[in-house]
Structure formats: structure tokens, C-alpha cells
Amino acid sequence: MTDPEPLIAVVDDESPVRVMLGRVLRLADYRVGEYACGEDFLASLDGAQLPLCAIVDLHMPGLSGFEVQSRIRAATLKVPVVFITASDDPGLDRSALALGGRGLLRKPFSSDQLFEAIVSAVGQRDNGNAGDKDGNDST
């Protein structure tokens, strides 16, 4: 049995953004989990398979992208996060990296920029897999 396509999580409160990113990622043979809020995404992390990477909007109702990243780190889950935002605030880049984010894309961004950010984020991931909470491959 072959491994399923890698899972990418898209967390954004704007449905058109989730749909667009989902389509682009599926065309590149990723499985996509779409979440309208940080709380739903974090609840999904209780399952056996963690996403290879999470694309997380910074500004959402409820938990912000930074709060989502903080909770992922507090739970010691190995899920690299690439933040997305429509903000032009130059301080966000520094904040994103300081909190452990693997990149920050400003909307609108190209599919090439998205894939480059995912590859970079996954390449920076600490020694683990997207398998289980400890980063161990469960096969």
C-alpha cells in the first residue's frame, strides 16, 4: 500500500482564500484540510496524522495565526507553519519568525511563492515526519 499524498492544512477565515489555496494544492497532488478558524484546526491535531505543513492566516476572529502557532509549539507538535496576511506591517516578518513560523506570505501571492514557502518550511522542520505527535513515522 502506498502512502497517501501529503496533507497540507489551510487555516483562513475567508472562504474564497481557502477554496483557492485548496485547489492550487490539490492540483499539486496534496491532500488539503481546510479550516475556517484556528480552534477547528487545533482540534484536528488530535488525530493520528499531522499535516506536513500548515498555511495559517494571521488575522482571524478567535485565535490569531500567532496564537495558533504558539499553541502548536506549546503542545510540541512538529507542524511547520507558513503565515499568510494581507497586512503591509513590516514588523510582522520579524514576529512571525520569532514565534517559530517558517515564513510569511503577503496576499496576493503566486502559487510559485506558496510552493517555495512549503518546501522551505518542510525542509526546516526538526528531524521529524508529519506522522504522529512526536514526529515519528507511524508506518
Side-chain angles (χ1 to χ4, degrees):
M1 183 170 155
T2 61
D3 290 334
E5 296 88 13
L7 175 64
I8 303 290
V10 175
V11 187
D12 196 304
D13 59 309
E14 296 180 41
S15 179
V17 173
R18 288 192 314 272
V19 169
M20 182 273 303
L21 290 175
R23 286 180 182 155
V24 167
L25 291 165
R26 284 183 192 94
L27 285 171
D29 293 326
Y30 288 105
R31 286 183 305 126
V32 180
E34 297 178 18
Y35 305 92
C37 65
E39 293 87 349
D40 289 348
F41 170 60
L42 291 170
S44 78
L45 298 179
D46 288 337
Q49 183 186 13
L50 294 177
L52 180 68
C53 182
I55 310 302
V56 181
D57 188 25
L58 281 181
H59 303 288
M60 299 180 285
L63 296 176
S64 72
F66 287 151
E67 291 169 315
V68 170
Q69 169 65 15
S70 178
R71 291 187 185 194
I72 290 170
R73 288 184 79 181
T76 65
L77 299 173
K78 294 184 180 180
V79 179
V81 172
V82 173
F83 294 111
I84 58 176
T85 186
S87 174
D88 289 331
D89 180 350
L92 290 177
D93 295 275
R94 196 173 24 255
S95 297
L97 295 175
L99 289 172
R102 305 302 178 145
L104 175 70
L105 297 174
R106 297 190 189 282
K107 299 173 188 176
F109 49 85
S110 70
S111 57
D112 287 342
Q113 290 171 308
L114 175 65
F115 293 122
E116 287 173 19
I118 291 169
V119 168
S120 177
V122 171
Q124 294 175 35
R125 191 174 46 183
D126 300 334
N127 247 352
N129 296 305
D132 64 18
K133 290 182 182 181
D134 298 319
N136 298 319
D137 190 356
S138 56
T139 56

